[in-house]
Amino acid sequence: MKTNILFITSIFIIIFATSCNKEKPSNGDYYGTFTYNNPSGIIKTAEIEITESSKNKIVINGSELEKDGKKIEGKIENISFSQFGVDINGEWSHKLFSKNYKIEGTFTEDYYQGGNAYQNSGTFKITSY
């Protein structure tokens, strides 16, 4: 009886240890959707690449952002639709035993037009392929 309990416990520990990945969200290619508040209904998309993810930071499209647990914030400098990049404030998540990650939250984007500075904002979702 003790042997069976020990065996089952060992299997659960091995499964749990192998499913734990310290690099969350994992490195790889992602797809981003950015929905603007104003002008309403404008949606822009971008290819996103995460090259590094640790406890305190995440590198998205070459930009280092702060990471605290599930919270991610900072500026993605290199994004296809924005000349000056976007500031994001969001959280990452994934379903149990899934390797598909999602980062959701809000963003702001500064831009210049006619010599004047403006700012757009909205929500975003970045999902793994």
Side-chain angles (χ1 to χ4, degrees):
M1 182 71 170
K2 284 184 178 182
T3 306
N4 288 341
I5 293 173
L6 182 60
F7 179 73
I8 292 171
T9 304
S10 297
I11 289 176
F12 280 117
I13 290 172
I14 290 170
I15 290 172
F16 180 74
T18 57
S19 68
C20 289
N21 181 1
K22 293 181 182 177
E23 295 179 352
K24 291 184 180 180
S26 63
N27 296 348
D29 294 324
Y30 290 72
Y31 180 77
T33 304
F34 295 77
T35 305
Y36 286 79
N37 293 335
N38 190 12
S40 182
I42 300 291
I43 298 173
K44 296 188 179 180
T45 60
E47 292 188 15
I48 305 290
E49 182 182 22
I50 296 177
T51 54
E52 185 179 344
S53 183
S54 66
K55 182 179 178 183
N56 300 322
K57 70 176 182 175
I58 185 167
V59 178
I60 300 176
N61 285 7
S63 299
E64 187 175 305
L65 288 78
E66 292 181 20
K67 189 170 112 182
D68 182 17
K70 291 195 174 267
K71 295 185 185 286
I72 296 174
E73 65 180 60
K75 185 173 192 122
I76 302 174
E77 300 281 347
N78 184 18
I79 196 157
S80 60
F81 62 83
S82 179
Q83 183 179 2
F84 300 104
V86 293
D87 289 298
I88 67 165
N89 188 353
E91 291 189 6
W92 67 269
S93 64
H94 73 96
K95 293 181 181 176
L96 190 61
F97 302 116
S98 173
K99 293 191 181 216
N100 294 328
Y101 291 89
K102 178 171 49 174
I103 304 170
E104 290 182 288
T106 59
F107 76 93
T108 56
E109 172 191 30
D110 295 322
Y111 70 98
Y112 296 90
Q113 187 173 14
N116 295 318
Y118 298 96
Q119 189 175 72
N120 281 331
S121 62
T123 59
F124 75 91
K125 184 188 317 185
I126 298 172
T127 55
S128 56
Y129 288 121

